[in-house]
Amino acid sequence: QVQLVESGGGLVQAGGSLRLSCAASGSIFSINAMGWYRQPPGKQRELVATIASGGTTNYADSVKGRFTISRDNAKNTVYLQMNSLKPDDTAGYYCNAHVTIIEPYGLRRTDGYWGQGTQVTVSS
């Protein structure tokens, strides 16, 4: 019922920039928090940044000052601008969104959804 599609990953040299996008589609009533997570090779998935529906943001210490999360509520899209990239930023990046849908009989249901991921590789 809800799909998240990421784009914008790729290969970049250290010090470079990339911009990730994640668009949500489907039977969406509203989207609450949205965020980006990453999973480096051989490691667990970790938080990168989140943004509330009102715009409040939260960042992992490792990306503060380098990454910026933003969203376009009209387009149900969240972005991650990544600057000054480092080899340690190499990971699969995953979009997450807490989405409220309208079920039959007018009931509302909120669930967390994940995108399929996009690979970011930073070479030294």
Side-chain angles (χ1 to χ4, degrees):
Q1 290 178 307
V2 176
Q3 298 81 39
L4 301 181
V5 178
E6 299 110 332
S7 61
L11 173 63
V12 65
Q13 289 188 332
S17 298
L18 284 174
R19 188 191 194 210
L20 306 183
S21 300
C22 172
S25 62
S27 304
I28 297 171
F29 174 75
S30 65
I31 302 179
N32 307 309
M34 303 184 81
W36 289 95
Y37 292 73
R38 67 186 181 186
Q39 187 165 12
K43 297 184 179 180
Q44 291 186 331
R45 192 169 295 187
E46 62 185 22
L47 170 72
V48 177
T50 61
I51 183 167
S53 57
T56 301
T57 58
N58 178 56
Y59 295 92
D61 288 342
S62 59
V63 306
K64 282 181 180 177
R66 301 188 298 122
F67 291 10
T68 302
I69 190 170
S70 61
R71 63 190 286 172
D72 184 333
N73 292 330
K75 296 181 179 179
N76 291 335
T77 300
V78 62
Y79 306 95
L80 185 68
Q81 178 66 43
M82 305 185 293
N83 299 328
S84 302
L85 283 160
K86 305 174 181 180
D88 284 349
D89 295 317
T90 295
Y93 282 71
Y94 297 86
C95 172
N96 175 267
H98 290 263
V99 180
T100 299
I101 64 172
I102 301 294
E103 293 190 315
Y105 307 110
L107 297 176
R108 299 180 185 180
R109 176 176 176 175
T110 300
D111 284 313
Y113 295 86
W114 291 94
Q116 82 287 354
T118 185
Q119 180 66 32
V120 171
T121 302
V122 184
S123 63
S124 58

